[in-house]
Amino acid sequence: MICCACGAEKPVKESMASGGWRLAFSRPGFVTAKQDGPAALPDGPFVRTASHSISSARDADAASLLDQFAEKLSQHSESQHPFDHLHVWPKDRVPIGRFGFEPGIDEVSRAVADAAFQRLKEQFLNCDAPNRIAASGDRVLDLVLVDPSHWFLGWHQASDWPSRWPGGVQPISPAHEPISRAYYKAAEAITWSGFDLREGDLAVEIGSAPGGACGRLLELGLQVIGIDPADMDERIARHPKFRHLRARAGDLPRKEFRSAKWLLVDSNVKPDKTLVTIRNIVSHRYSEIEGLLITLKIGDYEAASLIDRWTSEIEQWQPKRIRVRQLARNKVEVCFAVTM
């Protein structure tokens, strides 16, 4: 069983079909499929979470649903040893950003998580509370609220960061109100990438206004240059570790990027033009950039095949590693993490 952004079901299904999976039940933001034998969980840019399914049930009474799951778990081979974590979350209700929607745990799933933990903890769980961040290697019991009265139960073994977060959404509590949702996108991209951003490093963001992502970089203690013709929020503009270049990145001399270790890009420019600008920066003889986090707008999911073309373009820069993912906070866009 797989969770994804609403609208991303088609590329998820296409990637699963190519892996020999037979598609089964699905809803916007949720896809299930079957294999004849043991198989690795599906992966791909649009897979937010993936779990081995155990059971599903419909009932208007939560206690009845949990009793049904307890019975199924008592018969399941993976339940012979307690799970290290219980993760409970709802599938996305609508596309990200519509009506202000953001993915993650809501009040209903929080209440269900508490009830499920109390019902299952004695026999099936080895944790002190639901929805904790898992460690790599931990076994996680997953409960997805497809609808308020229709739940799916499964499990997975945590490995990378998204598989350690409940529902694949990074839990983060900013010390101050973020300037924009770009703060959350940047925080998730930095953690997912594994880039070793250190205090005092110089980071450059192209498309920085009004300053959401810059806010996260400054929180981490980096020196930050923001490139954007538009105004920055005053809280960012007056920060002693921030410098604003009011211009378009393609119009700047390459010396402005000298000593930069990290480059973040999230601008409303066509992807092909964005990649040309970045290529000119990283291919310059003075470039010291070690890692790039590039957000590219797909436009619509029918154009998901463009990812292969963009990957081929980035490969010409001779990077050490390329990864691509639709982050939980991404709208109809993907994030490339490129190690130079």
Side-chain angles (χ1 to χ4, degrees):
M1 60 187 194
I2 287 175
C3 283
C4 61
C6 285
E9 304 83 24
K10 183 176 179 180
V12 167
K13 291 177 180 179
E14 288 175 347
S15 65
M16 293 177 73
S18 65
W21 293 88
R22 301 192 309 279
L23 297 172
F25 174 90
S26 69
R27 289 290 184 273
F30 187 76
V31 177
T32 68
K34 299 177 181 180
Q35 280 271 20
D36 291 327
L41 289 171
D43 195 10
F46 299 99
V47 173
R48 186 185 303 163
T49 70
S51 305
H52 303 282
S53 183
I54 295 174
S55 181
S56 67
R58 296 176 186 265
D59 201 302
D61 181 63
S64 175
L65 284 168
L66 293 174
D67 286 343
Q68 292 179 59
F69 284 155
E71 182 178 355
K72 289 290 185 181
L73 282 168
S74 66
Q75 304 166 3
H76 199 274
S77 60
E78 284 297 329
S79 304
Q80 294 178 1
H81 302 284
F83 291 93
D84 300 302
H85 291 274
L86 171 66
H87 286 176
V88 182
W89 72 93
K91 79 168 187 65
D92 288 7
R93 301 190 307 273
V94 294
I96 296 165
R98 182 175 295 179
F99 312 118
F101 172 75
E102 296 290 344
I105 299 167
D106 58 11
E107 290 300 319
V108 173
S109 56
R110 191 172 291 112
V112 171
D114 291 338
F117 177 73
Q118 293 301 322
R119 177 64 179 83
L120 303 175
K121 66 178 181 178
E122 295 297 332
Q123 189 175 356
F124 304 110
L125 301 174
N126 183 27
C127 54
D128 60 358
N131 286 334
R132 303 284 199 198
I133 298 176
S136 183
D138 284 351
R139 294 167 64 251
V140 181
L141 185 64
D142 296 309
L143 177 54
V144 184
L145 279 60
V146 175
D147 287 311
S149 59
H150 190 192
W151 303 351
F152 274 71
L153 188 71
W155 73 276
H156 76 276
Q157 187 167 26
S159 53
D160 60 1
W161 274 109
S163 69
R164 296 169 61 183
W165 299 328
V169 181
Q170 181 185 28
I172 185 168
S173 300
H176 305 285
E177 182 67 23
I179 290 164
S180 70
R181 66 186 305 277
Y183 172 96
Y184 296 100
K185 290 168 62 176
E188 183 182 354
I190 290 166
T191 304
W192 162 69
S193 71
F195 290 164
D196 187 19
L197 279 67
R198 298 188 179 186
E199 186 173 352
D201 287 353
L202 176 60
V204 176
E205 188 193 8
I206 297 173
S208 57
C214 290
R216 181 56 180 165
L217 293 168
L218 292 167
E219 277 185 357
L220 296 173
L222 279 73
Q223 300 283 340
V224 181
I225 296 174
I227 300 174
D228 202 303
D231 292 337
M232 301 296 296
D233 186 278
E234 276 300 312
R235 288 172 288 175
I236 301 298
R238 63 173 178 257
H239 196 286
K241 291 187 176 182
F242 178 77
R243 182 162 69 101
H244 182 200
L245 297 179
R246 192 184 294 274
R248 300 189 184 280
D251 298 333
L252 290 170
R254 300 285 79 84
K255 67 179 182 180
E256 295 290 357
F257 300 90
R258 189 177 298 181
S259 301
K261 192 171 182 179
W262 312 105
L263 179 64
L264 286 74
V265 184
D266 188 1
S267 55
N268 291 316
V269 177
K270 290 183 178 180
D272 290 338
K273 185 175 180 180
T274 295
L275 292 177
V276 169
T277 298
I278 300 172
R279 181 189 65 203
N280 292 337
I281 294 169
V282 299
S283 63
H284 193 270
R285 65 182 183 276
Y286 293 125
S287 174
E288 299 177 23
I289 292 171
E290 295 183 12
L292 305 97
L293 293 172
I294 308 167
T295 299
L296 295 180
K297 319 296 183 183
I298 301 173
D300 63 69
Y301 290 103
E302 294 294 330
S305 59
L306 293 173
I307 292 172
D308 290 340
R309 193 180 82 195
W310 298 334
T311 302
S312 296
E313 167 64 24
I314 294 171
E315 286 173 344
Q316 296 179 33
W317 310 345
Q318 299 183 331
K320 296 176 182 176
R321 188 183 185 190
I322 303 172
R323 284 171 293 157
V324 59
R325 177 176 176 83
Q326 183 181 33
L327 303 175
R329 299 285 185 171
N330 281 150
K331 294 183 180 178
V332 188
E333 56 195 10
V334 289
C335 180
F336 282 80
V338 183
T339 306
M340 297 301 293

